[in-house]
């Protein structure tokens, strides 16, 4: 619902703030007072082209800003939350446009800059303006199917089945097409994968093997130095001529302190004993290491060749042995998949046939429901048109076949002819006029509860309508305002009398400059304005009495609707 609009520096408006209530709001005023500026401001919110001529004072920006309560629009709220434009607990939405003198402009949503496309997408959920069809969402053909489906409650479940089946069909067809498209080079790919797999498998690679071989290679390149060092260490520690190695020297030291009974030497003796054991272990370990140097199972050439093989495989399949083995696993999986593709193609073909059967079964069922809903819509609109004194207007809803899609096998055309003898034309191609205005009113009344845009704006929908037709139209507008927030710019006193909220738009001159002002009217001021609408400047006591009576009668309409 539209809560408020703020307009600044736009044409004749300096600063104006208009608050709106649920139900029916009318904007009235003399011709040329500036009522169209409010419409222009709402048009900017809807994404109209920003023209530099709209800027009043070129030294500052023109601003049109509208605040909305979207607590009853969960789909819009979910979309905005998904785009990161709104927090989950927020329900206030502020859309604004700023225009500078050179025509550049910015669109914002809750203070964040957005594109013109996002502005139009968001505002289409919020406002529907009846001007020259520019913003008349209800007449957009892509909405027609949705109207019929919502008029038939049982359609929802069937439509969900159609959507699921269509989505599944799309996935299956893409997979089948991919399989078929690569059929011509499948054998080449199988040969290539087989060669790669054999090459990797024949190498018998192990993780960490490369590091082990590099260590062996380094050792073998230095084997003479290592052997000499090992022999020298062994001699110094254990095997040198008796009495000249570390083991014997420690043993001699132990013999020296053996007979000593002083407590001081007890820990010394234990330490020497530990050192002797360590020397024994070191000597054994060095001796074993020396033996491995003499008994190395590989030659240096063999190790180098193995490492070269690994390097070659790494250049083709990965940066490490681990990556090569991972590549091997993926290649084996792909080879298995390719070798079984014919079976998979047959499985997919059979599944497509099953899904197509399910899809068309549901789509045809949905089509029948839509045709029934179309007849219901035609009849209900026809009844509303009779009440609006338009018995000659013809309206037809055509449910036509089309290519299968996620919404089924139908497209919908709404055909319209305002006068006998005129050919039926698609509704969106009919020029604006009194007939189409009243027709749109009838259509919106029939679709109340189905059409989800909460705020409807009519600019002089009653122009050129009088007598019984105007009376019927006024009643329908009051009826429509029970389901929607309705804002009307009107010259009809009867329509003005039905409103719950009334603004007067007028001009005033200050310091030689003309401004448009917007003034909320209380009851007595409304009587004066309705009298002006009835009689112009020639207002008599009788005119005021008539206006007062009209307003009193108009304010009773909600109660009459409640009791009907």
């Amino acid at each position: 619902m539209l809560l408020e609009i703020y307009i600044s520096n736009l044409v004749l408006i300096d600063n104006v703030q208009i608050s709106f209530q649920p139900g029916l709001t009318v904007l009235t005023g003399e011709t040329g007072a500036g009522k169209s500026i409010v419409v222009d401001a709402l048009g900017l919110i809807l994404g109209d082209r920003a023209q530099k001529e709209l800027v009043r004072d070129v030294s500052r920006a023109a601003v049109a800003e509208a605040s909305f309560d979207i607590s009853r629009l969960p789909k819009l709220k979910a979309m905005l939350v998904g785009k990161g434009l709104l927090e989950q607990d927020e329900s206030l939405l502020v859309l604004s446009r700023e225009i500078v003198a050179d025509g550049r402009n910015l669109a914002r949503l809750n203070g964040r800059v957005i594109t013109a496309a996002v502005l139009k997408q968001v505002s289409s959920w919020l406002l529907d303006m009846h001007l020259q069809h520019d913003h008349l969402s209800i007449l957009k053909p892509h909405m027609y199917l949705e109207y019929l489906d919502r008029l038939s409650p049982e359609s929802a479940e069937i439509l969900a089945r159609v959507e699921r089946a269509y989505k599944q069909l799309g996935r299956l067809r893409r997979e089948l097409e991919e399989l078929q498209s690569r059929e011509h080079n499948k054998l080449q790919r199988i040969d290539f994968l087989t060669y790669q797999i054999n090459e990797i498998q024949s190498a018998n690679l192990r993780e960490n093997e490369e590091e082990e071989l590099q260590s062996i290679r380094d050792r073998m390149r230095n084997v003479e130095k290592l052997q000499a060092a090992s022999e020298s260490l062994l001699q110094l520690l254990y095997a040198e001529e008796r009495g000249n190695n570390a083991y014997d020297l420690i043993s001699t030291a132990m013999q020296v302190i053996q007979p000593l009974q002083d407590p001081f030497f007890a820990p010394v003796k234990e330490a020497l004993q530990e050192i002797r054991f360590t020397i024994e272990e070191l000597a054994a370990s060095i001796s074993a290491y020396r033996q491995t140097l003499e008994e190395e199972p590989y030659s240096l050439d063999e190790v180098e060749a193995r490492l070269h093989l690994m390097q070659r495989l790494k250049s083709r399949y990965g940066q490490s042995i681990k990556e090569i083995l991972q590549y091997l696993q993926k290649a084996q999986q792909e080879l298995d998949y390719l070798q079984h593709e014919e079976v998979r193609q047959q499985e997919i073909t059979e599944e497509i046939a099953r899904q197509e059967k399910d899809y068309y079964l549901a789509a045809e069922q949905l089509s029948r429901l839509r045709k029934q809903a179309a007849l219901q819509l035609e009849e209900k609109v026809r009844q509303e048109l009779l009440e609006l004194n338009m018995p000659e207007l013809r309206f037809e809803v055509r449910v036509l076949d089309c290519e299968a899609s996620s919404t089924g096998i139908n497209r919908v055309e709404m055909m319209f002819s305002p006068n006998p003898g005129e050919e039926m034309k698609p509704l969106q191609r009919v020029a604006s006029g009194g007939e189409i205005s009243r027709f749109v009113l009838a259509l919106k009344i029939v679709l109340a509860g189905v059409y989800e845009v909460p705020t409807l704006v009519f600019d002089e929908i009653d122009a050129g309508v009088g007598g019984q037709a105007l009376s019927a139209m006024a009643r329908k507008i009051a009826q429509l305002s029970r389901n929607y927030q309705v804002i009307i710019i009107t010259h009809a006193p009867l329509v003005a009398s039905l409103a719950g909220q009334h603004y007067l738009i007028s001009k005033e001159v200050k310091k030689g400059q003309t401004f448009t002002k917007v003034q909320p009217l209380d009851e007595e001021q409304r009587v004066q304005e309705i009298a002006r609408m009835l009689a112009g400047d020639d207002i008599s006591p009788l005119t005021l009495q008539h206006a007062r009576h009209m307003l009193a009668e108009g304010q009773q309409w909600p109660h009459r609707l409640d009791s009907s």
Side-chain angles (χ1 to χ4, degrees):
M1 185 184 85
L2 177 62
L3 300 175
E4 181 179 281
I5 183 168
Y6 170 72
I7 307 169
S8 174
N9 196 36
L10 194 71
V11 194
L12 295 178
I13 292 180
D14 185 22
N15 283 291
V16 162
Q17 191 167 328
I18 310 173
S19 298
F20 294 96
Q21 300 172 356
L24 177 60
T25 297
V26 295
L27 307 177
T28 65
E30 294 183 359
T31 301
K35 298 185 295 295
S36 63
I37 303 174
V38 177
V39 174
D40 289 340
L42 289 172
L44 289 172
I45 298 301
L46 284 167
D48 276 358
R49 183 179 176 184
Q51 300 176 340
K52 61 182 180 180
E53 291 78 13
L54 295 173
V55 181
R56 177 186 177 89
D57 179 357
V58 297
S59 66
R60 58 193 177 97
V63 177
E65 181 178 281
S67 303
F68 300 88
D69 176 5
I70 61 168
S71 57
R72 296 187 179 181
L73 294 172
K75 292 180 182 177
L76 172 61
K77 187 172 181 179
M79 181 191 77
L80 293 173
V81 170
K83 289 177 176 287
L85 294 172
L86 196 72
E87 296 298 328
Q88 187 67 50
D89 58 351
E90 285 185 295
S91 294
L92 178 65
L93 186 66
V94 181
L95 295 176
S96 66
R97 293 283 294 280
E98 298 175 15
I99 312 166
V100 294
D102 62 3
R104 289 181 295 113
N105 72 98
L106 282 178
R108 299 181 190 273
L109 187 156
N110 285 7
R112 296 179 59 178
V113 176
I114 56 173
T115 64
V118 171
L119 177 68
K120 288 182 178 181
Q121 181 187 18
V122 173
S123 61
S124 67
W125 287 76
L126 301 167
L127 280 173
D128 187 340
M129 292 175 61
H130 183 75
L131 306 173
Q132 298 295 325
H133 298 185
D134 290 345
H135 306 292
L136 205 54
S137 300
I138 201 167
L139 297 186
K140 293 179 180 176
H142 72 272
M143 298 291 293
Y144 298 166
L145 266 181
E146 191 172 338
Y147 299 154
L148 296 186
D149 289 340
R150 290 187 181 179
L151 284 170
S152 179
E154 58 267 42
S155 294
E157 183 180 348
I158 301 171
L159 178 59
R161 282 169 47 199
V162 168
E163 290 173 342
R164 284 195 301 270
Y166 186 80
K167 185 177 180 181
Q168 182 73 351
L169 276 170
R171 185 188 65 78
L172 290 168
R173 284 168 178 159
R174 285 191 298 272
E175 185 177 353
L176 181 61
E177 184 179 341
E178 183 180 347
L179 291 175
Q180 292 172 340
S181 68
R182 64 190 192 196
E183 184 70 25
H184 68 283
N185 64 357
K186 183 176 74 174
L187 293 177
Q188 291 178 331
R189 182 64 178 168
I190 289 175
D191 287 343
F192 184 58
L193 287 171
T194 301
Y195 169 79
Q196 290 184 319
I197 290 168
N198 289 338
E199 183 178 37
I200 297 172
Q201 286 180 331
S202 64
N204 291 318
L205 300 175
R206 292 183 294 104
E207 284 195 42
N208 302 319
E209 181 185 3
E210 185 177 23
E211 291 79 4
E212 293 173 5
L213 289 175
Q214 287 172 342
S215 177
I216 292 172
R217 180 186 62 188
D218 293 342
R219 193 168 68 221
M220 294 180 72
R221 285 175 174 175
N222 298 284
V223 66
E224 291 182 0
K225 290 182 180 180
L226 295 174
Q227 285 178 333
S230 299
E231 180 63 29
S232 178
L233 282 172
L234 192 59
Q235 292 295 325
L236 291 171
L237 290 174
Y238 198 79
E240 184 63 64
E241 183 180 345
R242 186 170 182 81
N244 291 330
N245 59 67
Y247 182 85
D248 288 344
L249 292 172
I250 293 297
S251 297
T252 302
M254 290 182 64
Q255 291 173 2
V256 170
I257 63 173
Q258 183 67 34
L260 303 176
Q261 299 301 315
D262 194 295
F264 170 78
F265 290 103
V268 175
K269 182 179 179 181
E270 290 180 5
L272 290 172
Q273 182 68 36
E274 186 65 32
I275 292 171
R276 191 167 67 171
F277 289 153
T278 301
I279 290 172
E280 288 179 340
E281 292 174 353
L282 285 172
S285 177
I286 292 169
S287 179
Y289 173 73
R290 184 183 61 180
Q291 187 69 22
T292 62
L293 293 175
E294 295 171 354
E295 299 174 359
E296 185 64 62
Y298 307 106
S299 70
L300 181 59
D301 288 343
E302 289 174 329
V303 172
E304 293 281 12
R306 181 71 174 167
L307 286 171
H308 178 72
L309 171 64
M310 292 179 180
Q311 193 62 35
R312 181 162 55 84
L313 293 176
K314 281 164 61 177
S315 69
R316 296 179 182 179
Y317 306 116
Q319 297 300 311
S320 65
I321 301 300
K322 182 178 181 180
E323 289 184 11
I324 294 172
L325 294 175
Q326 288 173 344
Y327 183 90
L328 172 63
Q329 184 179 13
K330 290 178 181 178
Q332 288 171 327
Q333 290 172 349
E334 184 181 353
L335 179 61
D336 182 69
Y337 182 80
L338 290 173
Q339 289 172 336
H340 293 84
E341 270 190 356
E342 289 185 9
V343 175
R344 179 58 184 157
Q345 284 190 38
Q346 182 61 33
E347 290 173 350
I348 293 174
T349 302
E350 293 172 359
E351 180 62 21
I352 286 174
R354 286 193 294 270
Q355 288 292 339
E356 283 181 340
K357 182 178 179 180
D358 291 345
Y359 173 85
Y360 281 103
L361 186 66
E364 287 165 5
Q365 188 178 358
L366 185 61
S367 183
R368 289 192 293 272
L369 289 173
R370 286 168 172 168
K371 289 174 181 176
Q372 294 171 10
L375 293 174
Q376 295 172 12
L377 180 59
E378 286 178 6
E379 181 56 35
K380 288 180 179 179
V381 170
R382 191 174 295 116
Q383 186 60 41
E384 292 293 334
L385 292 173
L386 285 175
E387 295 181 22
L388 285 169
N389 199 28
M390 301 180 71
E392 304 297 334
L393 189 149
R394 289 182 296 150
F395 170 62
E396 183 179 330
V397 182
R398 297 176 180 175
V399 180
L400 307 173
D401 293 336
C402 70
E403 283 189 22
S405 72
S406 60
T407 57
I409 54 175
N410 303 123
R411 63 182 180 89
V412 176
E413 283 188 359
M414 291 190 181
M415 309 298 290
F416 176 89
S417 174
N419 302 303
E422 286 191 31
E423 64 173 327
M424 301 280 279
K425 296 180 181 178
L427 195 55
Q428 69 273 16
R429 286 171 45 198
V430 177
S432 179
E435 294 88 357
I436 191 66
S437 296
R438 280 181 281 170
F439 170 78
V440 167
L441 182 60
L443 185 60
K444 286 182 176 178
I445 290 170
V446 171
L447 293 175
V450 171
Y451 185 59
E452 291 186 332
V453 178
T455 300
L456 310 178
V457 181
F458 294 95
D459 184 12
E460 300 186 7
I461 188 176
D462 46 28
V465 182
Q468 291 183 351
L470 177 61
S471 179
M473 175 179 278
R475 290 195 300 271
K476 294 299 180 182
I477 289 170
Q479 181 181 344
L480 190 64
S481 68
R482 294 173 62 79
N483 294 290
Y484 298 94
Q485 182 187 42
V486 180
I487 301 168
I488 295 185
I489 296 174
T490 183
H491 287 286
L494 179 58
V495 174
S497 71
L498 297 172
Q501 187 179 33
H502 190 157
Y503 282 98
L504 173 64
I505 299 178
S506 60
K507 284 183 182 178
E508 62 178 355
V509 179
K510 292 181 179 179
K511 298 180 180 181
Q513 288 188 308
T514 302
F515 295 91
T516 290
K517 70 174 185 177
V518 181
Q519 174 189 357
L521 301 182
D522 60 24
E523 184 175 350
E524 190 55 37
Q525 290 170 325
R526 292 186 68 180
V527 171
Q528 291 289 332
E529 173 61 8
I530 291 172
R532 183 200 63 77
M533 297 170 75
L534 286 166
D537 293 332
D538 188 18
I539 298 176
S540 67
L542 184 61
T543 306
L544 288 172
Q545 183 180 352
H546 185 192
R548 200 178 306 278
H549 176 73
M550 182 179 287
L551 181 59
E553 284 288 307
Q555 297 305 294
Q556 290 301 312
W557 262 103
H559 304 296
R560 293 175 185 174
L561 289 172
D562 285 336
S563 60
S564 62

